Amino acid sequence: MSLDINEQYDKIYRYCFLRVRHKETAEDLTQETFLRYLEHPQYHSEDKTLQLLYTIAGNLCTDEFRKIKPSAISETASDGKDIEDNILSDVQLKQVLDSLSDEDREIVLLRFVNEVPVNVIAKLYNISRFALNRRLNRILGSLREHLGKEELI
């Protein structure tokens, strides 16, 4: 499987944006992700490129949260709502996704928005593919249940 890293740029940006919820910060983190990836060709492996990109991006997003002061978090969470609304245009789906835990929402968005393979996500979370599939089925069941209730109202 040949992976074109240029095609991954938008997906890594979406991943960063959904984690930090700030357009400029997500752009910076995405650029830093690719810079770090390209600076270390010794770690390049065709079958692990996607996992490496998401690992770098995830670590950078985590580091970014460590830098933010607690009072600044509520301010940055409201920035970039237009972009989020473009990504998740269905209001009901957005509300249901917001009701999920951060980690569950991230897993769903990685799998179904960014189309990241299950084995890559499983490695990112240090769980087996089977455990991830069970978790995805549980999350999707919960989403179906909530969306079904929403449609009845």
Side-chain angles (χ1 to χ4, degrees):
M1 171 180 116
S2 177
L3 182 69
D4 183 9
I5 62 169
N6 293 327
E7 292 176 8
Q8 299 305 315
Y9 189 88
D10 288 339
K11 292 179 180 184
I12 297 295
Y13 169 76
R14 274 195 305 262
Y15 173 73
C16 290
F17 178 78
L18 291 168
R19 295 225 21 213
V20 300
R21 306 224 185 228
H22 187 263
K23 180 182 176 188
E24 289 80 16
T25 304
E27 288 171 354
D28 292 343
L29 293 172
T30 303
Q31 289 175 6
E32 183 66 23
T33 297
F34 281 90
L35 283 173
R36 289 187 183 189
Y37 173 79
L38 294 172
E39 284 177 349
H40 299 287
Q42 68 272 23
Y43 297 121
H44 295 190
S45 168
E46 199 167 306
D47 59 334
K48 294 192 179 199
T49 296
L50 199 55
Q51 179 184 349
L52 183 58
L53 286 171
Y54 279 103
T55 299
I56 294 169
N59 290 340
L60 288 171
C61 290
T62 300
D63 291 346
E64 186 63 28
F65 277 116
R66 289 181 183 146
K67 290 185 213 174
I68 297 174
K69 296 178 183 170
S71 62
I73 290 176
S74 62
E75 296 169 15
T76 59
S78 64
D79 291 345
K81 287 292 185 191
D82 294 334
I83 294 171
E84 183 178 351
D85 290 340
N86 288 336
I87 294 171
L88 301 170
S89 58
D90 186 344
V91 174
Q92 281 184 323
L93 181 59
K94 183 186 175 316
Q95 289 172 343
V96 173
L97 285 172
D98 285 344
S99 72
L100 295 174
S101 71
D102 290 341
E103 193 170 284
D104 285 352
R105 182 174 48 250
E106 188 174 300
I107 288 172
V108 168
L109 294 172
L110 281 172
R111 181 69 186 115
F112 299 106
V113 176
N114 282 2
E115 299 173 347
V116 177
V118 171
N119 62 337
V120 173
I121 299 170
K123 288 177 184 174
L124 286 172
Y125 286 94
N126 293 321
I127 58 176
S128 71
R129 290 180 305 137
F130 303 107
L132 179 64
N133 279 327
R134 283 191 301 272
R135 188 168 178 181
L136 276 170
N137 286 334
R138 179 186 50 78
I139 295 168
L140 292 175
S142 173
L143 291 175
R144 281 187 201 100
E145 182 180 314
H146 283 80
L147 286 173
K149 288 180 183 177
E150 293 290 327
E151 291 173 1
L152 296 175
I153 293 175

